[in-house]
């Protein structure tokens, strides 16, 4: 693949609006923000993954370092009642109560159809509902109209997995790069994943490590680096170094309620690594 496409402007044809079939029963008592987020987008029967580092998903604004408070950005033109309702919907979403949040977000979206924060959250819940076309459209609008970094990142995952759109690794790479440039380091992890797998690019472990290191401080980055050292991919196998990265992952991801899957996986890696080191 010619890398010239990386410098080309990002564009994609907007798809037609998608209707909803809202069924609250899809959100059971276990459906909360503590669920393994990477599995929500990836483990859908189309392509299985081996571990949570295979997709760095941006839940909403937590990993968007350029994000300003919502009301500072674009709420001043709205009536006070609408601003309050949007704020209430966001609180429900952030608490993981998607049953209550989703219809409120839809109502707020009708009042403020161009709000990127609303669009992103609707994209996230639509993906949970497996309404991938709607999810893609919401993420696309939040990304291209609102320049929301985390929406570009999730849009890239949908391109990479073929969710709601034809699979295209080149567009996935473009989205990840845009997300990273706008401040979402999850994009760097996902670029590293493309190089690690050789998806749309020549497999290059050195480049994968380079991008994982660019994501320093983001949940999943230390986990990804630890696995490279554990398996000796692009570096000399070093179990002690791998263990160090896994332990650092606990610190980074442990502070984020949206990435507990990384914590669980890192704990498993630590136990495995300690057993391996004990046999050396």
């Amino acid at each position: 693949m010619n890398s010239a496409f990386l410098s080309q402007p990002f564009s994609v044809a907007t798809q037609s609006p998608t209707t909803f079939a809202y069924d609250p029963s899809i959100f059971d008592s276990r459906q909360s923000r503590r669920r393994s987020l990477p599995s929500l987008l990836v483990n859908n029967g189309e392509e299985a993954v081996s571990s949570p580092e295979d997709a760095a998903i941006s839940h909403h604004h937590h990993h968007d370092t350029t994000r300003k408070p919502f009301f500072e950005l674009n709420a001043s033109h709205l009536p006070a009642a609408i601003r309050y309702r949007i704020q209430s919907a966001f609180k429900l979403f952030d608490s993981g109560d998607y049953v209550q949040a989703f219809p409120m977000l839809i109502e707020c979206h009708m009042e403020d159809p161009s709000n990127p924060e609303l669009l992103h959250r609707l994209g996230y819940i639509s993906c949970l509902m497996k309404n991938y076309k709607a999810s893609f459209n919401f993420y696309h609008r939040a990304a291209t109209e609102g320049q929301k970094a985390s929406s570009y990142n999730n849009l890239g995952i949908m391109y990479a997995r073929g969710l709601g759109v034809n699979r295209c690794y080149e567009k996935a790479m473009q989205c990840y790069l845009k997300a990273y440039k706008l401040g979402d380091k999850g994009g760097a992890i996902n670029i590293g994943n493309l190089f690690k797998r050789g998806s749309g690019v020549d497999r290059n472990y050195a480049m994968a490590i380079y991008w994982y290191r660019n994501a320093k401080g983001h949940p999943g980055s230390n986990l990804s680096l630890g696995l490279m050292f554990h398996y000796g991919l692009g570096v000399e196998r070093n179990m002690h170094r791998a263990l160090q990265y896994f332990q650092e992952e606990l610190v980074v991801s442990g502070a984020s309620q949206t990435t507990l899957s990384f914590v669980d996986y890192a704990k498993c890696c630590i136990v495995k690594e300690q057993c391996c080191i004990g046999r050396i």
Side-chain angles (χ1 to χ4, degrees):
M1 182 190 70
N2 193 326
S3 61
F5 82 91
L6 297 178
S7 61
Q8 297 174 357
F10 172 79
S11 63
V12 60
T14 304
Q15 300 186 1
S16 58
T18 306
T19 57
F20 284 92
Y22 177 54
D23 179 9
S25 66
I26 66 171
F27 302 114
D28 60 26
S29 60
R30 295 167 297 176
Q31 183 69 9
S32 70
R33 57 195 301 215
R34 289 179 175 269
R35 181 174 172 179
S36 173
L37 295 182
S39 68
L40 297 178
L41 273 175
V42 181
N43 294 339
N44 53 67
E46 296 188 18
E47 181 174 346
V49 296
S50 58
S51 60
E53 103 282 2
D54 282 324
I57 294 177
S58 298
H59 181 229
H60 44 109
H61 59 268
H62 287 302
H63 304 146
D64 189 345
T65 58
T66 62
R67 179 184 180 272
K68 296 180 180 180
F70 165 75
F71 295 106
E72 180 182 338
L73 277 173
N74 52 9
S76 59
H77 66 288
L78 297 173
I82 301 299
R83 293 202 304 270
Y84 176 79
R85 191 156 181 79
I86 293 175
Q87 186 178 37
S88 299
F90 283 7
K91 287 181 178 179
L92 287 170
F93 179 93
D94 293 347
S95 69
D97 189 351
Y98 303 131
V99 175
Q100 299 295 324
F102 185 71
M104 288 183 65
L105 289 169
I106 288 292
E107 292 177 10
C108 295
H109 171 61
M110 295 178 69
E111 296 288 344
D112 191 15
S114 299
N115 187 305
E117 302 296 336
L118 285 170
L119 291 167
H120 185 87
R121 286 163 172 78
L122 286 170
Y124 183 85
I125 297 181
S126 297
C127 193
L128 294 183
M129 298 167 68
K130 299 189 184 302
N131 192 338
Y132 298 126
K133 288 186 177 180
S135 180
F136 177 88
N137 288 336
F138 282 130
Y139 280 143
H140 176 257
R141 287 195 58 198
T144 58
E145 297 177 22
Q147 292 297 295
K148 185 167 175 61
S150 50
S151 295
Y152 268 114
N153 185 49
N154 290 3
L155 193 64
I157 293 172
M158 301 197 81
Y159 270 120
R161 301 297 176 184
L163 302 177
V165 67
N166 292 333
R167 179 174 296 186
C168 181
Y169 290 120
E170 290 193 4
K171 288 182 178 179
M173 178 72 85
Q174 289 180 358
C175 288
Y176 295 151
L177 283 169
K178 185 72 172 180
Y180 177 70
K181 290 177 181 178
L182 289 174
D184 190 339
K185 291 184 177 181
I189 296 178
N190 287 325
I191 292 172
N193 290 339
L194 292 181
F195 280 110
K196 178 182 178 181
R197 300 191 196 99
S199 299
V201 294
D202 293 334
R203 178 170 290 176
N204 189 324
Y205 293 135
M207 285 295 292
I209 291 173
Y210 168 80
W211 282 104
Y212 291 151
R213 284 176 171 162
N214 277 349
K216 182 178 176 61
H218 190 284
S221 60
N222 286 309
L223 179 59
S224 300
L225 285 167
L227 290 170
M228 300 297 281
F229 277 94
H230 172 78
Y231 292 109
L233 303 178
V235 291
E236 183 178 350
R237 190 177 188 189
N238 187 325
M239 293 184 179
H240 291 279
R241 189 76 179 276
L243 178 61
Q244 181 182 0
Y245 277 119
F246 294 147
Q247 291 172 332
E248 289 175 1
E249 183 65 40
L250 290 182
V251 177
V252 175
S253 290
S256 173
Q257 292 298 307
T258 66
T259 54
L260 294 186
S261 60
F262 289 135
V263 173
D264 293 338
Y265 192 79
K267 287 180 179 178
C268 293
C269 289
I270 288 173
V271 172
K272 181 178 180 180
E273 211 67 36
Q274 288 173 334
C275 292
C276 291
I277 291 173
R279 291 195 294 267
I280 295 177

